[in-house]
Amino acid sequence: MLTVKGLKAAYGMHQALAGVDLRIALGEIVVILGANGAGKSTLLRAVAGLCEGQVSGEIALDGLPLHTLPPEEIVEAGIAFVPEGRGIFGDLSVSENLQLGAYSRHARKNRIANLERVYDLFPKLKERGRQIARTMSGGEQQMVAIGRAMMADPKILMLDEPSLGLSPLLSKELFQNLSRISATGLGVLLVEQNAKLSLGISDRGYLIENGAITGEDRASALLHDPAVQAAYLGGATAS
Amino acid sequence: MDILISGLLLGGTYALVAMGLNLQYGVARIMNLANGETLVLGALAAFLAFTAISLSPLVTMLVVAPLSFAANWVAYRLLLRPLVKRAKSPGQLEVDSILATFGISFALVGLMVSIHGEYYTYSFLARPIEILGTTVAENRLVAALVAAGIGAALVGWLNFTRTGTAVRAVSVDRQAAQLVGINVARVSALAFALGGAVTATGGTLISTFITLDGSMGVIFTMKALIIVIMGGVGDLRGSIIAAIVLGLVETAVASLIDPGLTLVSAYVIFLGILLFRPQGLFGKRNA
């Protein structure tokens, strides 16, 4: 269980997060919905220890405090993060990317099993092992990014806008894969623009506005919430 | 043939020195203008040990390398790490590190001149030896072979060990390295220290066949810089090839035209690379 309590973050005078509380259990998929600039990315970056602003509040994974740890120890503790833009090693091959994913000490022990799990999920990565990651299509690069994050043997996988730049078909495939990943016992915490598809696979969702959580509910309830529909589902009425 | 052999031997030694700068610039992102002084310090140590107690430079090297590693580690932690921390952009870090290491280079020149103001010259393995019909000085051959051995060990370490892989990862992409749980600050310090050790080792080797003095570091900084830019920043294989090119060109110019023009030829290559292939001979994109 990852718990966040009273998380605040500021860039100079600008308050990006004004006391956020959330939790996510292993095996659960949780989506954070919000407009641009609402603080979604800052939230994930703060949990990963990568937020450049001033951060305060409590973050803990299964009782272990994370907010006092440097980024590499947060990876070690079991948080893997796929940032917006993916953050893969563009000049290295697919298999080098995956090997580097298992850099942390605990991941190294399980890297053979994890590699099998990744290849099982994304058979394409096995075929393309020697290809330089930068030369792949957007969807394939997203597979590399997620595969590499899974090589870190995480308890919680965090993704920032994973469907950005993907075609509707590829987005659908991506979300199906996230479902399969969470079925293996990982918690998946994602920030998304694509509210409909992401709510479709999620267990729960949070709404974030101006750096504060304004709503939390089961994903199926959010999908049918008129306010959510108006704000994030283009006003389309789900029947 | 003479030019080819001599050029290859010189290039081999240059390659080692450039690898040192490449670790510091390509991985730790510190453009170290005191790199040449580190080299001359290694040479000074070899000279002092040889003249005082007739110690072989190949033995002195074993002491110089760890000492330089430690000194560069401390310099990085105390002087350069604060610059890395406060830099808001890679460009700012570059400017700050150039200014800081330029200052360090002056301090080191003063230190070396006060220790020994004369030329560092001694005679180690200065006897002719014949390879493939060409006569070369034995010390040049030994220096090139030792440099090749160290270079090969370094490349092997970078490619086949966990820490070496982390060094390459930081060189390729710092943000991605952080995401996979690499301690970028520690790896940078390690790369900087290792680069310093390699450079100083190169200095002990060069001192066996080139006469140096305390103020000559800047020439070697420039040569290393030319090689690193020519080979591509962060690209060790490119560095090796560029070093051999530089060694060949310098030797060819020295023996065919005029020995006084070797530096000129080096700068002409540098200008050409900057104008036409700023990403380096094998670079894929602009950094």
Side-chain angles (χ1 to χ4, degrees):
Chain A
M1 171 86 82
L2 173 74
T3 51
V4 174
K5 267 189 209 148
L7 186 66
K8 290 183 183 173
Y11 302 102
M13 295 300 286
H14 172 67
Q15 184 85 16
L17 292 178
V20 167
D21 296 322
L22 65 81
R23 67 195 154 75
I24 167 170
L26 303 193
E28 194 180 28
I29 304 184
V30 171
V31 62
I32 301 166
L33 297 173
N36 278 333
K40 295 171 297 181
S41 295
T42 302
L43 173 55
L44 295 193
R45 295 192 73 84
V47 174
L50 297 173
C51 179
E52 287 95 1
Q54 302 82 27
V55 179
S56 64
E58 282 174 38
I59 305 165
L61 180 61
D62 295 336
L64 173 78
L66 299 183
H67 51 275
T68 52
L69 298 180
E72 64 273 8
E73 292 300 325
I74 294 174
V75 176
E76 192 72 66
I79 304 278
F81 177 40
V82 177
E84 200 180 328
R86 306 185 186 106
I88 56 175
F89 293 98
D91 287 333
L92 299 184
S93 71
V94 171
S95 70
E96 283 174 311
N97 265 282
L98 295 180
Q99 292 299 336
L100 276 167
Y103 180 82
S104 63
R105 291 182 297 273
H106 83 278
R108 229 170 131 67
K109 281 182 238 139
N110 303 328
R111 73 179 190 282
I112 293 163
N114 279 325
L115 192 62
E116 253 167 49
R117 193 163 61 143
V118 170
Y119 283 157
D120 200 38
L121 199 62
F122 305 115
K124 208 168 211 169
L125 296 186
K126 194 171 188 175
E127 298 161 24
R128 302 287 191 85
R130 299 178 136 247
Q131 189 170 348
I132 298 298
R134 180 169 37 81
T135 65
M136 301 177 100
S137 72
E140 290 164 350
Q141 289 189 26
Q142 191 59 264
M143 291 179 197
V144 176
I146 294 172
R148 195 190 65 190
M150 288 178 66
M151 290 300 291
D153 199 29
K155 291 176 180 159
I156 303 284
L157 174 63
M158 302 194 300
L159 305 104
D160 193 352
E161 305 271 6
S163 76
L164 200 70
L166 298 188
S167 70
L169 190 68
L170 282 175
S171 298
K172 208 167 175 179
E173 207 179 297
L174 168 83
F175 288 119
Q176 283 166 358
N177 284 326
L178 292 180
S179 280
R180 290 168 62 196
I181 289 172
S182 98
T184 66
L186 266 72
V188 175
L189 178 62
L190 73 158
V191 149
E192 256 301 331
Q193 297 272 349
N194 192 329
K196 196 172 177 190
L197 278 180
S198 57
L199 282 172
I201 59 151
S202 296
D203 299 299
R204 286 186 302 124
Y206 289 92
L207 306 179
I208 185 168
E209 233 172 90
N210 294 323
I213 300 287
T214 54
E216 181 211 339
D217 210 333
R218 301 177 50 78
S220 51
L222 288 174
L223 256 177
H224 298 96
D225 182 320
V228 172
Q229 286 180 352
Y232 305 110
L233 297 168
T237 43
S239 55
Chain B
M1 195 64 188
D2 280 8
I3 294 171
L4 202 62
I5 302 276
S6 307
L8 279 176
L9 293 184
L10 184 62
T13 315
Y14 280 170
L16 188 63
V17 175
M19 273 182 166
L21 184 65
N22 216 340
L23 281 170
Q24 296 189 324
Y25 187 43
V27 183
R29 296 289 195 279
I30 299 292
M31 179 72 260
N32 184 8
L33 289 190
N35 184 265
E37 276 67 34
T38 310
L39 180 149
V40 178
L41 264 177
L44 176 61
F47 164 78
L48 291 177
F50 190 84
T51 48
I53 52 171
S54 322
L55 198 62
S56 159
L58 299 180
V59 179
T60 310
M61 206 170 79
L62 301 177
V63 183
V64 163
L67 277 181
S68 178
F69 185 93
N72 276 278
W73 180 287
V74 171
Y76 183 83
R77 279 286 168 188
L78 292 184
L79 300 171
L80 301 169
R81 180 78 192 134
L83 302 184
V84 175
K85 269 191 177 160
R86 79 172 189 207
K88 290 193 174 63
S89 69
Q92 193 193 350
L93 176 60
E94 204 147 276
V95 172
D96 284 354
S97 66
I98 284 173
L99 291 174
T101 56
F102 196 41
I104 296 173
S105 83
F106 278 116
L108 291 178
V109 168
L111 185 72
M112 287 187 288
V113 169
S114 72
I115 293 174
H116 186 84
E118 317 279 311
Y119 286 110
Y120 314 157
T121 175
Y122 60 96
S123 175
F124 173 73
L125 295 179
R127 47 179 181 250
I129 183 171
E130 198 163 303
I131 39 168
L132 302 168
T134 301
T135 308
V136 295
E138 191 175 347
N139 50 30
R140 284 184 183 251
L141 178 66
V142 168
L145 289 178
V146 173
I150 295 172
L154 197 58
V155 170
W157 179 77
L158 285 170
N159 283 294
F160 300 112
T161 67
R162 178 174 136 88
T163 314
T165 308
V167 170
R168 284 193 303 137
V170 171
S171 160
V172 173
D173 191 329
R174 304 173 88 71
Q175 192 214 353
Q178 213 166 27
L179 287 172
V180 299
I182 292 172
N183 184 335
V184 174
R186 187 184 300 162
V187 168
S188 296
L190 172 71
F192 190 84
L194 191 64
V198 167
T199 304
T201 306
T204 63
L205 291 174
I206 285 176
S207 74
T208 62
F209 62 91
I210 292 182
T211 298
L212 299 169
D213 71 46
S215 65
M216 279 177 69
V218 63
I219 293 175
F220 289 97
T221 304
M222 284 303 153
K223 284 184 181 176
L225 192 57
I226 290 168
I227 293 165
V228 169
I229 305 280
M230 182 160 44
V233 175
D235 183 351
L236 283 188
R237 272 173 305 179
S239 275
I240 295 169
I241 293 167
I244 289 169
V245 169
L246 186 71
L248 286 171
V249 170
E250 282 195 356
T251 311
V253 169
S255 55
L256 297 177
I257 309 172
D258 187 313
L261 291 179
T262 51
L263 264 185
V264 176
S265 65
Y267 289 124
V268 170
I269 297 179
F270 192 35
L271 271 179
I273 292 285
L274 279 181
L275 284 174
F276 301 111
R277 276 199 76 81
Q279 72 275 44
L281 285 178
F282 313 100
K284 279 154 286 194
R285 58 177 179 163
N286 291 322

